[in-house]
Amino acid sequence: MTSVQSELISSIRSIPDYPKPGIVFRDITTLLGNPKTFRRAIDELVHPYAGTKIDKIAGIEARGFILGGAIAHQLSAGFVPIRKKGKLPHETVRIAYSLEYGVDEMEMHKDAIVPGEKVILVDDLIATGGTAEGAAKLLQQMGAEIVAACFIIDLPELGGRRKLEALGVDVRTLISFEGH
């Protein structure tokens, strides 16, 4: 484990039995509240793409907005919010995606992506991958070239990374936690 990984892991609060018994919630608000670790996480997510032409950063509601905005700024890219159904004011495109217990829908503005644009998808954590997979499919449906999907945290036992890789999406994570 690198010193960066140790620093990031120690900055994340783990909350047992939330939102239900047996789950350990990985809370990044403590990382975000610390200027040094917030900056370090953004720098580590941006580094592989510095000097590369990235057109847009697509952030998944809500923590993906925080990270995505900072990454877009660092890469001089535009920002595209991917939101829950009914939250965007203009014409949208929508996709249904699987949750652990059911189905939900997410959307983005119809004019947010021009076909062929190079896009990085961002969220705080990849677990089962249902939300990230839905977002990736939505971006691909709009003609985006997804350069990568970036997350601070991977929960590898839950298999989300594999779902994105099956879509041909490169996945970058900074740290991982075992278990749920």
Side-chain angles (χ1 to χ4, degrees):
M1 180 179 309
T2 68
S3 64
V4 171
Q5 290 170 320
S6 294
E7 182 182 349
L8 295 176
I9 286 170
S10 68
S11 73
I12 293 169
R13 180 174 27 220
S14 295
I15 303 170
D17 299 320
Y18 183 85
K20 62 183 186 178
I23 302 293
V24 178
F25 184 80
R26 306 301 178 174
D27 178 16
I28 69 158
T29 61
T30 47
L31 178 149
L32 297 174
N34 178 319
K36 184 179 175 196
T37 55
F38 184 30
R39 176 63 184 229
R40 178 64 62 93
I42 296 303
D43 288 348
E44 291 294 319
L45 290 170
V46 165
H47 179 73
Y49 313 104
T52 304
K53 174 70 172 120
I54 303 296
D55 299 298
K56 304 275 174 67
I57 304 300
I60 299 172
E61 185 171 352
R63 290 173 296 275
F65 292 0
I66 299 164
L67 300 171
I71 292 167
H73 172 76
Q74 291 291 94
L75 293 174
S76 297
F79 179 78
V80 176
I82 297 179
R83 301 212 57 190
K84 294 178 177 123
K85 180 178 77 172
K87 300 286 186 179
L88 293 170
H90 191 57
E91 276 187 78
T92 60
V93 288
R94 182 177 302 156
I95 193 166
Y97 64 99
S98 298
L99 295 167
E100 196 170 344
Y101 299 105
V103 175
D104 205 349
E105 291 180 296
M106 68 178 79
E107 60 190 14
M108 60 188 267
H109 281 134
K110 190 175 183 177
D111 60 359
I113 300 287
V114 173
E117 283 188 314
K118 294 182 184 311
V119 177
I120 295 175
L121 178 63
V122 177
D123 205 358
D124 65 325
L125 178 143
I126 179 91
T128 62
T131 304
E133 180 186 36
K137 286 179 177 178
L138 184 60
L139 290 166
Q140 288 174 336
Q141 175 185 310
M142 295 303 298
E145 179 187 325
I146 304 174
V147 174
C150 295
F151 308 90
I152 293 175
I153 301 168
D154 184 12
L155 301 179
E157 293 174 26
L158 298 179
R161 172 187 287 266
R162 289 189 300 277
K163 287 181 182 175
L164 290 177
E165 290 171 342
L167 294 175
V169 175
D170 181 45
V171 177
R172 174 161 170 72
T173 60
L174 301 181
I175 56 176
S176 62
F177 287 96
E178 300 306 316
H180 299 89

